[in-house]
Amino acid sequence: MQLALATAGLGPALNAGPVHAHLRPEEPGARRRVEADEEIYAEGDRPLHFYKVVSGAVRTYRLLSDGRRQIDGFHLPGDIFGLEAGDERRTGAEAVVDTVLTAHRRSDRAALTGDAGALACEVVAAMLRALARAQDHMLLLGRKTARERVASFLLGLAERAGADGVLALPMSRADIADHLGLTVESVSRTFTQLERDGLIALPAHRRAVELRDRAALRRLDG
Amino acid sequence: MQLALATAGLGPALNAGPVHAHLRPEEPGARRRVEADEEIYAEGDRPLHFYKVVSGAVRTYRLLSDGRRQIDGFHLPGDIFGLEAGDERRTGAEAVVDTVLTAHRRSDRAALTGDAGALACEVVAAMLRALARAQDHMLLLGRKTARERVASFLLGLAERAGADGVLALPMSRADIADHLGLTVESVSRTFTQLERDGLIALPAHRRAVELRDRAALRRLDG
DNA sequence: CGCAGCGTTGAACGGCTTCAATGAAAGTGG
DNA sequence: CCACTTTCATTGAAGCCGTTCAACGCTGCG
């Protein structure tokens, strides 16, 4: 995806300069190490940085006043998150497991490619990916059954993680539930049901899945 | 799936120049008139243009193979839509009522402010708004009850439309249902229930609502 | 070994959906 | 202008999927 995505809708203005798909390898962003369940930033914080996942996994989420939680996304190695639309964080972010990030000061131009056009491309690409995912996820939350939600989730995660055989699940059932708009019980039941039907296999330690019938899972997608 | 992006995240590069909140009045975008329920573009089309609503209303949506529909947003006068993350439309767009648009060729620099920085700001601002709305909407779809969904919808629409007294509802109950992840029946029942409870009033022609107790509606938001 | 946390399973409940019918308003053609 | 049709909104009744409440099992770790 990267900039091919960005270019289509945005046209020549942002393509005037060279296109960089990622922050440079020599990006000077400060490394930050966070352990499992540690907060990276909270709703309401001032968004001074944005981040790129080096290793581990991150969840970003919103809360209702009574505690109901919606995880709007999991961020895996290579993903950029924490770009914010205002002077206050609209989401909170926490590490799912022990995680390493690079933090980029939003005001630090040197942290980026050094070229405004390319920076715009970089950032816009991240936004477009985020928006595309959000659209997919709204369809999932608004119109899909529990089975379909879990199938979509597993396929999407497998694709992003590039997992061929067994797919690692860094997040808990509660995280998955709050991402898919279900309860932990429903997620668990759906997993066992999919296993019984031969679409997946569940290793003993429960933090992984083997996708045994991707075609069938894909059929559940719509 | 991080949605957040930002002025904050964008920082100095995109804010270097003057910020233009809207395409200029003299924008040379071609006017396009579409009547109610007419297609503006379809899923799979090549995204040659993006649009700004002059008058009327537009819905953008995604479909599942069996016809289930999720309307990811309604676009009112002043809104920009049709910015796309790829060489294929991921959503379809239709006019809700008779609508006037300005269409901007993505490759037509003259259609914009003439300044790449300002264009970036314009486009990025539109994306940021879309992303913020998407986050709100995922929380709604994943975690809110029917009552809360309808309340959120009405308040959000009222805010955007700037309606003080009676709020016009250009879209059908089916459109609202497909936006809120409910059925038409549930939307209708929830309306009558809110009316019975004195939070809203429903005029005879059903394409409007009066918000009679915004505080109570807001309490339903979370 | 025993505790604590997470995941799974069971049973009853409930909110929303589904199916079906009625009502109301808008368009159509004579 | 008025019957007729069509479309949309509302209401009712029954059903179902996912939730809620509760118990149990597994696993890892002190």
Side-chain angles (χ1 to χ4, degrees), chain B residues 146 150 153 172-178 180-194:
Chain B
V150 170
F153 172 70
S172 69
R173 295 292 189 266
D175 283 345
I176 296 173
D178 284 349
L180 300 183
L182 301 168
T183 60
V184 276
E185 293 92 334
S186 286
V187 171
S188 186
R189 274 187 252 271
T190 305
F191 272 7
T192 28
Q193 187 188 342
L194 288 175

Side-chain angles (χ1 to χ4, degrees), chain B residues 21-62:
Chain B
H22 300 288
L23 299 174
R24 282 190 174 151
E26 66 271 28
E27 55 199 340
R31 253 166 208 258
R32 182 169 164 192
R33 197 171 294 272
V34 287
E35 48 186 50
D37 294 320
E38 189 181 333
E39 179 179 285
I40 298 165
Y41 54 77
E43 215 174 317
D45 283 359
R46 294 201 54 202
L48 300 175
H49 301 87
F50 63 92
Y51 303 89
K52 185 172 181 177
V53 180
V54 175
S55 67
V58 172
R59 57 177 175 259
T60 49
Y61 61 91
R62 298 201 61 193

Side-chain angles (χ1 to χ4, degrees), chain B residues 126-187:
Chain B
M127 281 193 293
L128 289 172
R129 257 176 273 124
L131 284 164
R133 289 218 193 111
Q135 284 179 331
D136 287 345
H137 209 58
M138 286 189 286
L139 179 61
L140 180 150
L141 293 172
R143 287 297 177 227
K144 290 186 181 177
T145 66
R147 249 175 106 88
E148 292 167 339
R149 292 181 198 207
V150 170
S152 299
F153 172 70
L154 292 177
L155 286 172
L157 199 63
E159 193 176 341
R160 291 172 60 198
D164 287 335
V166 173
L167 174 65
L169 293 179
M171 68 292 289
S172 69
R173 295 292 189 266
D175 283 345
I176 296 173
D178 284 349
H179 184 50
L180 300 183
L182 301 168
T183 60
V184 276
E185 293 92 334
S186 286
V187 171

Side-chain angles (χ1 to χ4, degrees), chain A residues 4-14 16 41 47-48 50 60 62-66 68-75 79-87 89-91 106-109 112 115-116 119-120 123-124 126-145 148-149 160 174 177-183 220-222, chain B residues 1-14 16 47-50 60 62-66 68-73 82-88 90-91 105-109 112 115-116 119-120 123-124 127-145 148-149 174 176-184 219-222:
Chain A
L5 299 181
T7 57
L10 297 175
L14 290 176
Y41 54 77
L48 300 175
F50 64 93
T60 51
R62 299 201 62 192
L63 295 173
L64 289 175
S65 52
D66 63 358
R68 280 175 286 174
R69 182 178 67 154
Q70 176 64 37
I71 293 179
D72 53 68
F74 293 110
H75 309 281
D79 291 344
I80 291 172
F81 70 94
L83 292 162
E84 199 73 30
D87 60 352
R89 295 273 181 209
R90 304 175 50 81
T91 63
R106 79 180 207 213
S107 58
D108 184 4
R109 299 181 74 150
L112 297 152
D115 167 66
L119 168 60
V123 165
V124 163
M127 281 195 292
L128 289 171
R129 253 177 275 125
L131 188 54
R133 290 220 190 112
Q135 286 175 336
D136 287 346
H137 209 58
M138 286 189 286
L139 178 61
L140 180 149
L141 293 172
R143 287 298 177 226
K144 289 186 181 178
T145 65
E148 292 167 341
R149 292 180 198 206
R160 292 171 61 199
D178 284 349
H179 184 49
L180 301 183
L182 300 169
T183 59
L220 283 175
D221 244 312
Chain B
M1 147 181 346
Q2 165 63 19
L3 299 179
L5 267 222
T7 30
L10 299 178
L14 290 176
L48 300 175
H49 301 87
F50 63 92
T60 49
R62 298 201 61 193
L63 295 173
L64 290 175
S65 51
D66 62 358
R68 279 174 288 174
R69 181 177 68 154
Q70 176 64 38
I71 292 179
D72 52 66
L83 291 163
E84 201 71 32
D87 60 353
E88 264 197 19
R90 307 176 50 79
T91 64
R105 210 177 288 280
R106 78 177 207 217
S107 59
D108 185 4
R109 300 182 74 150
L112 297 151
D115 168 63
L119 167 61
V123 165
V124 165
M127 281 193 293
L128 289 172
R129 257 176 273 124
L131 284 164
R133 289 218 193 111
Q135 284 179 331
D136 287 345
H137 209 58
M138 286 189 286
L139 179 61
L140 180 150
L141 293 172
R143 287 297 177 227
K144 290 186 181 177
T145 66
E148 292 167 339
R149 292 181 198 207
I176 296 173
D178 284 349
H179 184 50
L180 300 183
L182 301 168
T183 60
V184 276
R219 240 171 284 130
L220 283 175
D221 243 311

Side-chain angles (χ1 to χ4, degrees), chain A residues 91-113:
Chain A
T91 63
E94 296 167 351
V96 173
V97 293
D98 291 352
T99 297
V100 177
L101 308 168
T102 52
H104 302 270
R105 211 177 287 279
R106 79 180 207 213
S107 58
D108 184 4
R109 299 181 74 150
L112 297 152
T113 59

